[in-house]
Amino acid sequence: MAEKKLDSRIKEKEVNGKTRYEAQLYLGVDPLNGKKRRTTLRSSKSAEDLDRKIKRKEADIKKSGLQPKIEQKKFKELFDLWFVNYKMTVKESTWASTDLLFSVHILPIFGDNYIDKMDVMFCQKEVNTWAENSPKNFKKYKNYTSNVFDYAVSIGVINSNPMKLITMPRGEVLDIQKKDIPFYNKKELNEFLEAAKDGDSKIYTFFFLLAYTGLRKGEALALEWSDINFQQGELTINKTLTRGENNRLIVNRPKTKSGSRTILIDDDLSSVLKMYKTTSGKVVSLNKKNSLVFSDSEGNHINPTMTKTWLKSVYRRYPKMKQISAHGFRHTHASLLFEAEVSLKDVQERLGHSDINITANVYTHVTENKNKQMLNKFANFMKNG
């Protein structure tokens, strides 16, 4: 009887003085991600025993439907195609932040998988994980991912979007409270401005401007002298400094129509700006019509992160002073407007909010206090006639 021929992949090894048998098997290509799959089979009994294991395993491989070659497109390929079109519909600052979002939160999970192999269960699992780990942002991640699936449907790569069939988690943020942004009252603001006045005139003027107008720091850093009408006492906000691709500084129009606005400025702010214009003329030519109000030594835009350094320079000299952020000066301005009994509608327009509810929600701490004052006035009126 002829000797049975064993699989040529079987290797004999000595392990701790005992004979072992093993074989490396190629399983084919994983249909989910296209990566080659291999496994190692072993037997401590005999080469014949391992040979039988190999035959059983290969029968299972054949039955599992693994294909040696697949032509499907991966999610990352479809994202790249979708992103080319997306970039043409939004500002650079928007698509740059979207690109970062995909790179950090979506592509590490979906990118290397074939888009037609990710089903509802796969998507549901990942959305549930997002909801648990990022309750504030998971809906944004889900919607952006769904946009890529929709694009794949539109060009015929897949038949349906599995993201549209998932059950949306509630993603409640039960233990996270909104953090109030510190701001100054009238006395604290005057103390800060007096302290800042002793230092760099640019720093003093910048924070005086924020406190007296409620501008965002990006709006202030994009401001040009031509935006200020000293004769009419008006300041026009029609652009903002933001970040684009690779964190480069770019100037954009405000996000909303109401963000473009013209506001009145008082005599005190006008005087501070005029004085600064005179001193800054030593560095930046005032003959240049659209020269920046705040610029570096070469007349270029200042990095928004520099405002933190400016504040630290003041607080370093006055360590006991209450410390707030640059955005805190916007809250300071709104708070003082409410204290001066300016209407909610007027505050909304001055700050450039698109919806009055944004103003009411952001400055709840102020509006609640005003409601209490109104109630006290009513109660006193009823008691005293």
Side-chain angles (χ1 to χ4, degrees), residues 80-92:
D80 289 338
L81 294 173
W82 169 82
F83 195 65
V84 170
N85 297 326
Y86 173 75
K87 286 173 67 173
M88 300 176 69
T89 65
V90 296
K91 299 175 184 176
E92 181 179 335

Side-chain angles (χ1 to χ4, degrees), residues 144-370:
Y144 273 123
T145 307
S146 185
N147 288 343
V148 177
F149 279 109
D150 276 340
Y151 177 75
V153 172
S154 72
I155 63 175
V157 174
I158 55 177
N159 295 322
S160 62
N161 178 354
M163 273 292 181
K164 289 187 173 179
L165 300 177
I166 69 163
T167 300
M168 199 66 172
R170 296 179 68 178
E172 292 181 303
V173 187
L174 299 178
D175 57 345
I176 300 177
Q177 295 182 345
K178 186 174 181 179
K179 194 173 182 180
D180 290 333
I181 297 176
F183 61 96
Y184 286 143
N185 58 32
K186 181 180 177 181
K187 180 175 179 293
E188 291 168 335
L189 175 62
N190 286 331
E191 289 175 352
F192 173 86
L193 293 176
E194 278 299 314
K197 194 173 184 179
D198 292 336
D200 189 328
S201 63
K202 180 185 293 184
I203 297 175
Y204 170 68
T205 306
F206 180 80
F207 290 109
F208 198 108
L209 174 69
L210 295 193
Y212 273 63
T213 61
L215 263 64
R216 302 173 179 89
K217 65 178 179 180
E219 294 171 336
L221 291 173
L223 204 63
E224 299 174 352
W225 287 116
S226 59
D227 297 322
I228 305 173
N229 186 329
F230 289 108
Q231 193 170 16
Q232 297 294 327
E234 293 179 343
L235 188 153
T236 298
I237 302 105
N238 54 23
K239 51 192 169 295
T240 183
L241 184 66
T242 186
R243 295 188 181 279
E245 188 176 18
N246 298 322
N247 277 332
R248 79 183 184 96
L249 297 179
I250 57 174
V251 176
N252 273 337
R253 294 187 302 275
K255 288 183 178 180
T256 62
K257 185 178 179 180
S258 55
S260 295
R261 60 202 188 277
T262 297
I263 63 174
L264 296 176
I265 58 176
D266 67 356
D267 292 340
D268 289 342
L269 177 56
S270 290
S271 297
V272 170
L273 287 169
K274 287 177 182 177
M275 179 63 70
Y276 176 64
K277 186 175 184 180
T278 301
T279 58
S280 66
K282 298 174 183 178
V283 178
V284 181
S285 172
L286 295 182
N287 295 325
K288 187 177 178 182
K289 183 179 179 182
N290 294 327
S291 61
L292 294 167
V293 175
F294 303 103
S295 63
D296 62 18
S297 59
E298 298 180 353
N300 299 319
H301 288 102
I302 294 172
N303 193 313
T305 59
M306 183 57 68
T307 59
K308 292 182 180 180
T309 304
W310 290 348
L311 283 172
K312 286 180 181 179
S313 70
V314 177
Y315 295 140
R316 197 178 297 115
R317 289 185 286 117
Y318 298 87
K320 293 183 179 180
M321 182 179 292
K322 178 179 177 180
Q323 299 187 14
I324 67 174
S325 66
H327 196 66
F329 286 86
R330 180 170 166 85
H331 281 248
T332 297
H333 184 66
S335 175
L336 295 177
L337 287 175
F338 284 123
E339 193 173 324
E341 299 189 350
V342 177
S343 71
L344 185 63
K345 180 66 177 175
D346 288 337
V347 174
Q348 173 207 350
E349 292 176 355
R350 187 167 177 84
L351 296 179
H353 287 154
S354 59
D355 189 335
I356 198 169
N357 290 322
I358 297 175
T359 314
N361 291 336
V362 171
Y363 302 103
T364 303
H365 56 283
V366 180
T367 54
E368 285 179 350
N369 186 49
K370 293 301 293 181

